[in-house]
Amino acid sequence: ETALEEGEMITEVRFPVPERAGYVKFPNPATRYALVAVMVAKYGANVRVAVTGAGPCVFRVAEIEAALSSNFSPESIEDGLVPAADLNSDIHASRDYRAHLIGVIACRAVAEALS
């Protein structure tokens, strides 16, 4: 659903190209769907971090973005920074496991972006 009014039409969509980017997925072994996947993109001093598979929809992690904006390295986010309360919990992975995976996979995505 969009916010377009009747008669309006989208004629162009622009996406800035990041200086560095990395994407890492931790797949469910049976389905190959992501238990957790993280995309990290660096735009100058700004960093965007998107997570999928861990919650009911894709979300950004402001705490990881802030840490990486100060120091774009895996070491800056090693301790993880995502509370488990709002994450999915099912037969494949608990909330706590997914919260831990977000930190691990985010570190790997930063390492990929730096390589």
Side-chain angles (χ1 to χ4, degrees), residues 31-107:
T31 64
R32 309 307 291 163
Y33 288 115
L35 281 176
V36 169
V38 177
M39 174 71 183
V40 175
K42 185 175 188 319
Y43 304 91
N46 297 316
V47 177
R48 298 291 178 257
V49 177
V51 177
T52 189
C57 61
V58 175
F59 62 93
R60 289 176 48 193
V61 184
E63 294 84 358
I64 294 177
E65 291 176 351
L68 291 173
S69 292
S70 297
N71 178 13
F72 194 78
S73 71
E75 294 77 24
S76 68
I77 56 172
E78 279 181 335
D79 297 329
L81 300 164
V82 179
D86 295 329
L87 300 181
N88 294 339
S89 188
D90 54 31
I91 63 170
H92 305 292
S94 70
R95 286 177 177 82
D96 291 333
Y97 184 64
R98 282 189 165 98
H100 172 73
L101 273 179
I102 291 169
V104 171
I105 299 303
C107 286

Side-chain angles (χ1 to χ4, degrees), residues 17-28:
V17 177
E19 290 173 20
R20 297 183 175 276
Y23 172 81
V24 176
K25 174 174 99 170
F26 187 88
N28 175 316

